[in-house]
């Protein structure tokens, strides 16, 4: 739902011949990514680059969940086969899950102010 709102508001432009711009296809990709815990991109943003990425979704004490970052692995297409980068997806998802467990999101969590040493 949020993706469609953003795409309708901002639009989507093709950066390479591989960029997916069809809203229905993008929704399908998002559904697949949600099920397996990571997304893939193969030369959609830049020719010669592919990547996998998994969201870091942390929970507040209230139970609300929030995406606070991402773990990604990128590689040049001439040095790593697509199957190998896709095999990194579950590892990225696992790292994102572990980070989410330790991510402080509540206002009551504070960190000491670092003093700059000149």
């Amino acid at each position: 739902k949020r993706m469609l709102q953003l795409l309708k508001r901002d639009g989507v432009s093709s950066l390479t011949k591989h960029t997916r711009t069809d809203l229905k296809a993008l929704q399908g990709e998002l559904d697949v990514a949600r099920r397996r815990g990571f997304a893939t991109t193969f030369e959609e943003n830049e020719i010669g680059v592919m990547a996998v990425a998994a969201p870091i979704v942390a929970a507040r004490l209230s139970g609300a969940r929030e995406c606070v970052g991402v773990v990604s692995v990128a590689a040049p297409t001439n040095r790593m086969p697509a199957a190998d980068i896709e095999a990194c997806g579950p590892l990225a998802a696992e790292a994102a899950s572990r980070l989410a467990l330790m991510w402080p999101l509540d206002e009551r969590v504070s960190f000491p102010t670092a003093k700059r040493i000149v």
Side-chain angles (χ1 to χ4, degrees):
K1 180 180 173 182
R2 177 83 171 128
M3 178 202 70
L4 291 175
Q5 291 171 341
L6 293 172
L7 291 177
K8 286 178 182 177
R9 184 189 77 195
D10 300 336
V12 60
S13 58
S14 185
L15 301 173
T16 74
K17 65 181 181 177
H18 303 288
T19 304
R20 295 181 186 111
T21 58
D22 179 74
L23 294 182
K24 200 171 220 178
L26 288 169
Q27 184 63 56
E29 294 255 341
L30 188 58
D31 292 341
V32 169
R34 190 176 291 119
R35 277 195 304 275
R36 65 182 178 180
F38 65 92
T40 59
T41 178
F42 297 96
E43 297 186 324
E44 291 185 59
N45 294 322
E46 184 177 348
I47 295 296
V49 178
M50 58 186 170
V52 294
I56 302 169
V57 182
R60 292 187 177 276
L61 288 178
S62 67
R65 296 172 55 80
E66 181 179 336
C67 182
V68 295
V70 66
V71 173
S72 67
V73 179
T77 57
N78 66 344
R79 292 186 53 202
M80 185 177 237
D84 288 352
I85 192 74
E86 194 157 335
C88 294
L91 299 172
E94 174 64 24
S97 293
R98 289 177 182 227
L99 286 168
L101 292 175
M102 62 180 90
W103 203 278
L105 279 183
D106 290 289
E107 292 73 21
R108 64 185 186 84
V109 176
S110 62
F111 297 95
T113 303
K115 294 183 180 180
R116 185 176 176 155
I117 300 173
V118 182

